[in-house]
Amino acid sequence: MLADYYVEAKSRKEIRGLANLLRNKLGLQDVLWIPIVELLDILAETIEEFSYEVVPDNELANEIHAETDIVTGHIKIKESVYVRACDGEGRDRMTIAHEIGHFFMLCLCGFKLHRNYENNIIPAYKDPEWQAKCFAGEFMVGKHLINDMDIFEIANKCGVSLDAAGYQCAHND
Ligand SMILES: [Zn+2]
């Protein structure tokens, strides 16, 4: 959605710091299974700029699972995604974390968004989609909590897909 834009560069370490800051603020620093669905309501109650709604699947394009309006801070989540996230499906839980990542980095922290007028190739660390993906992974899988776990344990205990567990293992330096 945001491919026409770029943001200031942020490293995985910086984004991990932001994810951990949010974990701490929410009292979730030592929690393996982030209650991401419940968190939507908590954020809506505590942060004035944050709001979300569950919309009928046909309201968003096929390939879109959820989206964040970075001007209003409003997140729309497809009903099917929300229902599966409630059931603990890792991929859908991650989708919600991804949008919360957009909200925090673009709406709340105000990472500056620049229009990519020249259609330059944007390096990953300046791409808001990469940054949101990075945030979601770091937020859902606390690096400080997974020590010697294998990817099956991580997927189970953190409530993420095997793919995501593997990805976090490979990017935990
Ligand atoms: Zn996104």
Side-chain angles (χ1 to χ4, degrees):
M1 289 310 287
L2 295 169
D4 295 337
Y5 296 88
Y6 64 94
V7 280
E8 60 196 277
K10 287 278 177 253
S11 69
R12 174 168 294 276
K13 273 207 178 102
E14 288 172 298
I15 291 173
R16 180 180 297 145
L18 181 68
N20 283 332
L21 185 76
L22 184 60
R23 273 177 164 264
N24 288 347
K25 289 246 182 246
L26 294 164
L28 295 170
Q29 55 269 39
D30 297 323
V31 173
L32 275 167
W33 178 283
I34 295 286
I36 197 74
V37 175
E38 290 81 354
L39 222 116
L40 287 167
D41 289 323
I42 292 168
L43 294 176
E45 276 166 30
T46 50
I47 300 176
E48 200 181 332
E49 297 89 342
F50 182 92
S51 63
Y52 82 98
E53 79 186 290
V54 179
V55 300
D57 280 15
N58 61 14
E59 196 172 308
L60 297 176
N62 258 347
E63 68 280 9
I64 308 287
H65 301 282
E67 68 179 20
T68 303
D69 184 323
I70 55 154
V71 176
T72 61
H74 187 67
I75 295 177
K76 287 184 179 178
I77 303 164
K78 270 186 179 168
E79 190 175 8
S80 60
V81 170
Y82 182 82
V83 168
R84 285 194 302 264
C86 290
D87 287 342
E89 184 64 44
R91 193 161 172 262
D92 300 291
R93 283 167 44 76
M94 194 62 90
T95 295
I96 294 177
H98 178 107
E99 299 307 325
I100 288 175
H102 277 316
F103 172 80
F104 271 97
M105 291 187 283
L106 297 174
C107 301
L108 215 60
C109 297
F111 287 18
K112 272 210 197 87
L113 201 60
H114 306 275
R115 186 109 211 184
N116 183 17
Y117 286 115
E118 287 109 30
N119 265 328
N120 293 324
I121 297 201
I122 298 165
Y125 55 88
K126 286 187 176 181
D127 175 357
E129 288 310 325
W130 178 85
Q131 290 187 355
K133 182 184 175 183
C134 182
F135 175 92
E138 295 295 335
F139 186 64
M140 296 299 275
V141 179
K143 171 180 147 55
H144 56 296
L145 301 173
I146 57 170
N147 302 317
D148 299 327
M149 288 186 201
D150 62 35
I151 64 168
F152 296 97
E153 249 184 305
I154 293 170
N156 259 324
K157 293 197 169 150
C158 300
V160 299
S161 69
L162 273 178
D163 277 355
Y167 187 89
Q168 289 312 117
C169 273
H171 297 86
N172 69 348
D173 52 331

